[in-house]
Amino acid sequence: MQRSTDFEKILQTNLGLPADRSLDYDTLLADYGMDSLTAVNTVVDLEQRSAVTFPDDRIMFAMLHSAHTLWNALSELIA
């Protein structure tokens, strides 16, 4: 999965952001409107698109802090 394309599209879609809006990787996802339901949907979409599964013990608030922390968690599973 490419960081600049698929990952951002999944986040933009789940957060309801316009496709032309740039995603700041250091902004809190909560500031973009992420709540618990959005978080679950985002994780499921990322798992399906990247063919990985986040271990239950890895899915926590810190992983969903920002696009940067979420990307880092996903990258560890893909590598």
Side-chain angles (χ1 to χ4, degrees):
M1 175 181 290
Q2 297 177 8
R3 176 177 174 169
S4 63
T5 56
D6 297 339
F7 178 75
E8 286 187 10
K9 286 179 186 176
I10 289 170
L11 278 179
Q12 287 169 325
T13 300
N14 280 287
L15 294 170
L17 301 175
D20 62 345
R21 181 171 176 187
S22 178
L23 187 65
D24 180 352
Y25 276 70
D26 293 319
T27 297
L28 300 177
L29 291 175
D31 289 347
Y32 283 120
M34 182 171 278
D35 57 18
S36 58
L37 181 58
T38 306
V40 169
N41 290 335
T42 301
V43 168
V44 168
D45 288 349
L46 289 170
E47 288 178 330
Q48 290 175 345
R49 177 63 181 94
S50 58
V52 299
T53 301
F54 286 97
D56 290 339
D57 62 342
R58 294 279 316 266
I59 301 173
M60 57 186 72
F61 178 74
M63 180 184 92
L64 297 161
H65 179 75
S66 67
H68 181 79
T69 58
L70 183 55
W71 173 254
N72 286 344
L74 180 62
S75 294
E76 289 176 13
L77 296 175
I78 293 172

